[in-house]
Amino acid sequence: MALEAELKSCYCDLHVHIGRTSEGQPVKISGSRELTFANIAKEAAERKGIELIGIIDSHAPGVLRDIRESLESGEMAVAEGGGIAYRGTTIVLGAEIEIREPGRKECHVLAFMPDVETMTEFSNWMSRHMRNVNLSSQRLYVPARELQDEIYGRGGILIPAHIFTPHKGLYGCAAEVMADIFDLDRIAAVELGLSADSEMAGYLSELDRYTFLTNSDAHSLGKIGREYNVMELARPSFAELCLALERKEGRRVSANFGLNPRLGKYHRTYCGGCGSIIDEAYATSERCPYCGSLKLVKGVFDRIMDIADREFPAVPAFRPPYHYQVPLEFIPGLGKAKLNKLLQAFGTEMNILHGAGEDEIAVVAGADLASQIVAARSGTLALSAGGGGTYGKVVQHRK
């Protein structure tokens, strides 16, 4: 009888963009130039303490060249079970893709492949149906179910991205029911996005079967890990990730750590005319109650209420706890100098957030900041709501 694998808890962020290739070619136009494949690996392993990182612009030919060079130089290695290994961190290779079904608005999905060779084949296929395969998040001119055929036929997985955001989120603008676009049996998980949590998603019964992911959608090195997951894995790898999303052989997502939805920049309905965030009582109207404008951007919370098929949210028994956690960068007064001191003392951001005690932090950064960091990781900081593309803010420290 085979012994069961010993599992360990791994920190995972599966949505990080590439800004540039090592040669300076743009990939994600809005991404930082510092977001290269090598820099992301270094940031995740050495500063963030994230053991499984999804780089979702790995399909770009220039990025694929960077990956091959890192393997050939010996700086990185092929991970057992799929992915690229670097100093205790494994990179899974992904692509963010825009699709648009006839008569609908566009939405984004994440496709992950087990290895460089498979991602190269997938990239070559996409290049025949995409105007510029060198860039991130480009429109793919094939039906959604054909895309699923290509991904799953190669041993990959598909995850709809930031599903509730009003700009290019599946439920946010493209559909009220996921089954109208995709074969539901070939969806590995769903990514909630920065303006939603597990309870909000629980208003839609269609989502009950899926594992929920909370990822950063990082456009800069500092944003890596602003949302993340804890997964129980034998080792960080593509194969173990697939088992965790399917909740098989003990592998699973055991915790989601995310922004309180109020901090998300699309949480509430927003008026493009006067810039107001619309009070809940008026969110169902077509005009702004303050200026009369019709330029309303439906917020995530309000959109979910519109399309909900339940009166109250339901949370399946397998669903892990969703922890509200304010990223370190949101904490007033915690600048780069003090953060670097904390990193020198505790090693990684994950150690600061999960391992260091308040008294230990106070020795390095002072009692007030230590108190705020503890409040940030326990979700007790007071917040103002975000909307219309502007993040919410920490407004005070509630003692």
Side-chain angles (χ1 to χ4, degrees), residues 110-130:
L110 308 177
F112 291 99
M113 296 293 163
D115 51 48
V116 180
E117 293 75 22
T118 309
M119 180 56 81
T120 301
E121 293 173 3
F122 184 59
S123 176
N124 290 339
W125 172 77
M126 285 201 296
S127 70
R128 300 194 294 272
H129 305 281
M130 185 178 282

Side-chain angles (χ1 to χ4, degrees), residues 76-211:
M76 301 187 193
V78 174
E80 179 185 352
I84 307 295
Y86 175 81
R87 299 190 184 183
T89 290
T90 298
I91 302 151
V92 287
L93 305 179
E96 184 169 35
I97 304 160
E98 182 172 299
I99 62 169
R100 184 173 184 177
E101 294 290 273
R104 298 180 180 275
K105 291 186 177 180
E106 62 277 359
C107 66
H108 285 180
V109 299
L110 308 177
F112 291 99
M113 296 293 163
D115 51 48
V116 180
E117 293 75 22
T118 309
M119 180 56 81
T120 301
E121 293 173 3
F122 184 59
S123 176
N124 290 339
W125 172 77
M126 285 201 296
S127 70
R128 300 194 294 272
H129 305 281
M130 185 178 282
R131 288 177 182 166
N132 192 346
V133 77
N134 296 290
L135 296 178
S136 171
S137 313
Q138 295 298 288
R139 177 79 56 82
L140 188 72
Y141 293 91
V142 299
R145 283 177 169 80
E146 183 178 335
L147 174 60
Q148 288 181 295
D149 292 342
E150 295 293 334
I151 293 170
Y152 282 85
R154 290 180 167 84
I157 57 173
L158 182 145
I159 298 170
H162 43 75
I163 56 174
F164 294 117
T165 57
H167 300 293
K168 302 182 182 180
L170 172 68
Y171 292 111
C173 65
E176 295 187 5
V177 179
M178 183 158 57
D180 288 346
I181 295 179
F182 291 112
D183 173 359
L184 297 184
D185 292 332
R186 293 184 294 175
I187 298 288
V190 296
E191 180 186 74
L192 295 179
L194 302 181
S195 296
D197 60 20
S198 297
E199 184 175 0
M200 290 167 66
Y203 281 98
L204 305 181
S205 61
E206 185 178 48
L207 294 176
D208 287 353
R209 64 193 284 189
Y210 297 112
T211 295

Side-chain angles (χ1 to χ4, degrees), residues 79-395:
E80 179 185 352
I84 307 295
Y86 175 81
R87 299 190 184 183
T89 290
T90 298
I91 302 151
V92 287
L93 305 179
E96 184 169 35
I97 304 160
E98 182 172 299
I99 62 169
R100 184 173 184 177
E101 294 290 273
R104 298 180 180 275
K105 291 186 177 180
E106 62 277 359
C107 66
H108 285 180
V109 299
L110 308 177
F112 291 99
M113 296 293 163
D115 51 48
V116 180
E117 293 75 22
T118 309
M119 180 56 81
T120 301
E121 293 173 3
F122 184 59
S123 176
N124 290 339
W125 172 77
M126 285 201 296
S127 70
R128 300 194 294 272
H129 305 281
M130 185 178 282
R131 288 177 182 166
N132 192 346
V133 77
N134 296 290
L135 296 178
S136 171
S137 313
Q138 295 298 288
R139 177 79 56 82
L140 188 72
Y141 293 91
V142 299
R145 283 177 169 80
E146 183 178 335
L147 174 60
Q148 288 181 295
D149 292 342
E150 295 293 334
I151 293 170
Y152 282 85
R154 290 180 167 84
I157 57 173
L158 182 145
I159 298 170
H162 43 75
I163 56 174
F164 294 117
T165 57
H167 300 293
K168 302 182 182 180
L170 172 68
Y171 292 111
C173 65
E176 295 187 5
V177 179
M178 183 158 57
D180 288 346
I181 295 179
F182 291 112
D183 173 359
L184 297 184
D185 292 332
R186 293 184 294 175
I187 298 288
V190 296
E191 180 186 74
L192 295 179
L194 302 181
S195 296
D197 60 20
S198 297
E199 184 175 0
M200 290 167 66
Y203 281 98
L204 305 181
S205 61
E206 185 178 48
L207 294 176
D208 287 353
R209 64 193 284 189
Y210 297 112
T211 295
F212 288 170
L213 293 172
T214 40
N215 299 318
S216 69
D217 196 357
H219 286 53
S220 66
L221 291 174
K223 293 288 195 297
I224 294 172
R226 64 178 167 181
E227 292 204 348
Y228 56 94
N229 314 275
V230 179
M231 296 190 189
E232 306 307 311
L233 309 172
R235 68 189 66 82
S237 72
F238 176 82
E240 289 285 314
L241 168 65
C242 293
L243 288 174
L245 298 182
E246 294 177 9
R247 306 183 295 279
K248 288 184 175 179
E249 300 177 31
R251 280 75 165 175
R252 62 192 176 94
V253 175
S254 56
N256 296 113
F257 284 85
L259 297 173
N260 185 310
R262 289 176 62 82
L263 278 175
K265 60 183 180 178
Y266 298 112
H267 180 59
R268 297 313 311 269
T269 296
Y270 170 87
C271 175
C274 68
S276 299
I277 292 177
I278 308 304
D279 183 82
E280 187 173 344
Y282 301 102
T284 55
S285 64
E286 294 182 0
R287 290 182 178 273
C288 173
Y290 307 112
C291 73
S293 173
L294 294 172
K295 298 178 182 178
L296 298 185
V297 178
K298 181 76 75 172
V300 167
F301 177 81
D302 305 305
R303 171 64 173 172
I304 290 174
M305 293 299 97
D306 278 354
I307 65 175
D309 64 347
R310 287 179 170 138
E311 187 176 354
F312 301 101
V315 180
F318 70 81
R319 188 83 64 219
Y322 188 108
H323 300 282
Y324 293 151
Q325 184 170 276
V326 177
L328 294 174
E329 67 168 351
F330 276 74
I331 298 175
L334 181 57
K336 287 185 178 180
K338 287 187 178 178
L339 179 56
N340 284 335
K341 283 186 178 180
L342 288 168
L343 289 168
Q344 288 172 8
F346 303 111
T348 67
E349 289 190 16
M350 290 300 120
N351 283 340
I352 296 169
L353 287 167
H354 293 279
E358 184 171 353
D359 291 342
E360 295 174 291
I361 296 172
V363 171
V364 179
D368 184 58
L369 268 178
S371 177
Q372 291 209 63
I373 288 170
V374 170
R377 66 192 186 191
S378 62
T380 56
L381 287 176
L383 312 170
S384 65
T390 300
Y391 288 109
K393 294 179 181 178
V394 175
V395 293

